[in-house]
Amino acid sequence: MSYEGEYAVVSPAGRFGGSAITRAQGVPTLSGKRIGFVWNHLFRGDLMMEQILAAVRQEWDEVVFVDHPAFGNFHGPEEPKVMDQLPARLKEAEVDAVVIGVGACGSCTPAVMRACAVAEREGIPAVGLIAEGFVRQAEAIGRALGLADKVIARYPGVVMTDGLDTFHRKVGESMVPEAMDGLLRRAEATDDSSSESADPYRPEQVVFTGTLEAVQRYFEDRLWSDGLPILPPTLDAIANMLAHTTRDPHEVLGVALPANQEATVWNVAVNAVMSGCDPRHLPMLLAAVESILDPRFGIEHGGCTPGWEPFALISGPDLGELGFNSSTASLRLGTRANSTFGRFLRMFFHNVAGLVGPPGATDKATFGAPTHVALAENEEVTRELGWPTLREEQGFAPEDTTVAVQSVVGFSLPIYTEGETVDEHLRVLAEHIAGASGHWSHTGLTFKEWQPLLVMSPGIATVFARNGYSKDDIRRELGERARVPWSQWIGCTTAVGLQVSDLEERLVDGTARDAYRESDDPDRLVPVIPFPERLAIVVNGDSARNQSKYYVNNHVHGPRIPTRVRW
C-alpha cells in the first residue's frame, strides 16, 4: 500500500443508540417530602447522607427518609438486577426525590449516573454525589445517557485520604448546600443535544481528505486515535477488510457503553483497518466484539480506576497458519497478528465504547496496564499433554476457533520453578499468586466473581502432565495453597472504599467455601483464589524456559467471555 497522495477517510465511531431524557422538576419544598438514598456501599456515602439529612431536617419539617436497603446496592455483584428493579423500587417507596452516591472511582461514577438516569426517567429528581476528580467523567457519562442537564453535589478532594474531621467539614461546606440546591432550585433545562450528534452519523460518509500526516492530526484532534499512528480507514481498505466476512456490514452487534454507540460489522472493520489488522482476522475480531458486548462482560466499567485492560485469549486449531505466535516472545509487540489484535480491542474501547483518557474524561484508569497483545493458545503442546484446550473447557468443539476476552488489572513477576516433581512448582506458584493478587483478591469474594489466568510455558506444563496432573488438579492445589491473612483483606477493603460488612456477608450467604470459615482468627490464612474452578490455565511461551505468569482480572468487571468465530 502506498502512502503518497491524499486519503479520503471515514469515522470510526458509531450511531448514538440512546435517547434524550427530560429532566424531572425539582420539588418546591422539602417539608413533608420523602427523600430516598440510593447507595453503592462505597466511599463513606452513609456518612455523607447522614450529614445531608441532618441539615435538611434542621431546615424543613416532617421529612421522611427512605434508606438505601430499600433500593439495593446498584454497584455490587447484583448490579444488573438492582438497576432493572430500581424503577419499581422507587415507585414502591413513593419518594419525591433521591440522592444517589457515591462516584469517586472510574466505574462507580458511571454507575451513579446510570442510576440518576433511571430516576429522572421516572420523573424523580436525582442528585449524584460525586468527588470533584470525577465530575468531568460524570458529565460526559450523563450526556451519553441522554441527561443533557444533570445535578451533582461535589466532594472537594480525595474522599479516602481525608480524616473524618476534614471529611465532615467538606461535606458540610460543599455537598450539603449543593445537594439541597439541586433538589429545590433546578435551573431551566438547557438545549444540550451533545448526546445526539447534530451531524447525523452516516457510516460510508467521507469525513476528511488529506495527506497521511493530515489524517493523523485530524483523528488525534477528534480523539479517534490510541496515540499511535493509524492506517487511514479509506473506503477501499474497509471493503478489502469486509471481503473476509459474509455478514451484513450494517449488522448491529450491540450498543457499546458508556458512549451508547452502536457497534456494527462496519465500524469493527473501520477500527480493524486503523489498527493494522490482517483482513483474514475480521471474523475473529467480530467474535471478540461480541464477547465484550455481552452484558456479563460489563464494558461500561472499562474506565475504572484500577485500570484493567481487555485481554484476548484465542484458542483454535489453525492459529499458526493465521500468523499468530504462541511460543517465544508471544506477548511482546512484534508479531503482527497478536499485536494488532490486542491494539484493535483498545481502539474499539476508545472509538466505539467511548472510553477516552485525557483530554477526554471517560477513562479514569489511575495508571492502566500494558496488556495490548492477544495471547494464542499453544494447541500442539496442549494436545501432546493430553489436556483439553481452553475452548473445549468452555464447552466448544475441538474444530472451533474461539476468542475469549477478559479484563486484566495486574500480573505477577516471572514465576520460575524447578524440579521433576510438582510439589516445588506448586509451592512457588502459590507464593507468587498470593503476592500478585493477595491484597486485591478480596474483591473477587465481595463481588462474587474472580477469573484469573495462569499461563504456563510448555516445559512447566509438561512436568505437571508427566506427573499425572490435570488442569483441575492444578486448580484445586493452587486454590488451597495460595493464601494471605484475613486481616490483609480487611485493610485493603477499607482502603478501596468498600464496606467490610459486604465481605463478611460472603462468609454466611453461601458464596465463600469452607476454607474461609476455618476460624475467627483475624490473622488466619484465607485463599486468594475464591473460585478455583474459574482459573484458566493456558499453555504458551518459550518451550526452552521454565516460567509461568499469573494474570488477575478485575472481579465482576470483565469476566472471561468466549465467543465462537463465524468464518
Side-chain angles (χ1 to χ4, degrees), residues 383-438:
R383 293 283 180 216
E384 290 174 356
L385 297 177
W387 283 357
T389 61
L390 177 64
R391 64 185 181 280
E392 289 171 311
E393 290 189 295
Q394 294 167 330
F396 296 93
E399 62 271 19
D400 288 336
T401 296
T402 62
V403 179
V405 185
Q406 69 169 79
S407 65
V408 167
V409 72
F411 46 86
S412 69
L413 295 170
I415 308 174
Y416 286 98
T417 54
E418 62 180 343
E420 294 183 342
T421 59
V422 300
D423 194 65
E424 184 66 9
H425 292 273
L426 287 169
R427 182 186 67 80
V428 177
L429 282 167
E431 289 175 355
H432 276 266
I433 289 171
S437 63

Side-chain angles (χ1 to χ4, degrees), residues 118-132:
V118 169
E120 296 281 349
R121 284 191 187 279
E122 297 299 318
I124 300 170
V127 173
L129 305 180
I130 308 290
E132 66 177 351

Side-chain angles (χ1 to χ4, degrees), residues 140-152:
I141 297 298
R143 287 192 295 271
L145 290 168
L147 282 169
D149 299 276
K150 68 238 29 111
V151 178
I152 291 171

